[in-house]
Amino acid sequence: MKQKVITFLTISFPFLITLVLWRLSCPFINPAGILAIIPIFYCSFIRPVPYFTAYALLFCFLLDYKFGTVLIWTIFYCIYYVIVNIQTFIDLSHTNKNGLFAFMTFLAPVILFIMLHHIGWTSIITSILTFSVLCAMYIPTTFLIKAVKND
């Protein structure tokens, strides 16, 4: 029985951490639950988890809802998903630092687009802070996911 519970938690951990990070939104550190984009990116592109794509699309849509944007995160996720899965030149599963630089290239256009949509000093500072916090939290979050999944 104990082994079945451990197996269930190991399989469901990427789904649960995405839900928890989305729910723990805080205006300063985690606005609109943006930290949920870390497991969404990692479990979709770097270490793909079976059946996670539909879940990731749902949470990108929920991020759009909480941010008040019109399908920005969902569209950029779909574009990045198509680019990564159609081409054969770049293999994100064998990148250094758990794909931190790939995450930055995924994140930067979206944050830049949102910043330019609401241009102003507070928007620029918030965008820089959000980008910095997300990049700083990427390595510990992916390390935790790797540790639980035993990859």
Side-chain angles (χ1 to χ4, degrees), residues 3-142:
Q3 187 62 31
K4 287 183 181 182
V5 171
I6 291 172
T7 304
F8 171 75
L9 289 176
T10 302
I11 292 170
S12 65
F13 186 73
F15 300 92
L16 294 175
I17 194 168
T18 304
L19 178 65
V20 167
L21 288 174
W22 179 73
R23 283 294 294 155
L24 292 176
S25 61
C26 163
F28 185 67
I29 299 294
N30 190 12
I34 191 65
L35 286 177
I37 204 72
I38 295 171
I40 288 171
F41 180 83
Y42 184 74
C43 295
S44 294
F45 302 118
I46 306 300
R47 299 281 183 263
V49 173
Y51 308 108
F52 194 79
T53 304
Y55 191 75
L57 275 173
L58 171 68
F59 272 89
C60 285
F61 179 76
L62 290 174
L63 279 173
D64 285 327
Y65 174 74
K66 273 188 144 181
F67 261 108
T69 56
V70 182
L71 299 177
I72 304 276
W73 289 104
T74 308
I75 289 171
F76 272 97
Y77 175 81
C78 291
I79 290 170
Y80 207 79
Y81 189 82
V82 167
I83 290 171
V84 167
N85 287 323
I86 287 180
Q87 57 82 29
T88 58
F89 183 67
I90 300 171
D91 183 17
L92 292 181
S93 62
H94 293 93
T95 57
N96 294 336
K97 298 179 185 172
N98 294 334
L100 177 63
F101 298 121
F103 179 68
M104 288 179 182
T105 60
F106 169 73
L107 192 63
V110 181
I111 290 181
L112 185 65
F113 183 81
I114 292 172
M115 179 188 72
L116 292 176
H117 190 273
H118 304 286
I119 195 73
W121 288 109
T122 56
S123 174
I124 293 170
I125 292 169
T126 304
S127 297
I128 291 170
L129 181 66
T130 302
F131 185 78
S132 302
V133 167
L134 281 168
C135 292
M137 291 300 296
Y138 183 78
I139 295 294
T141 306
T142 57

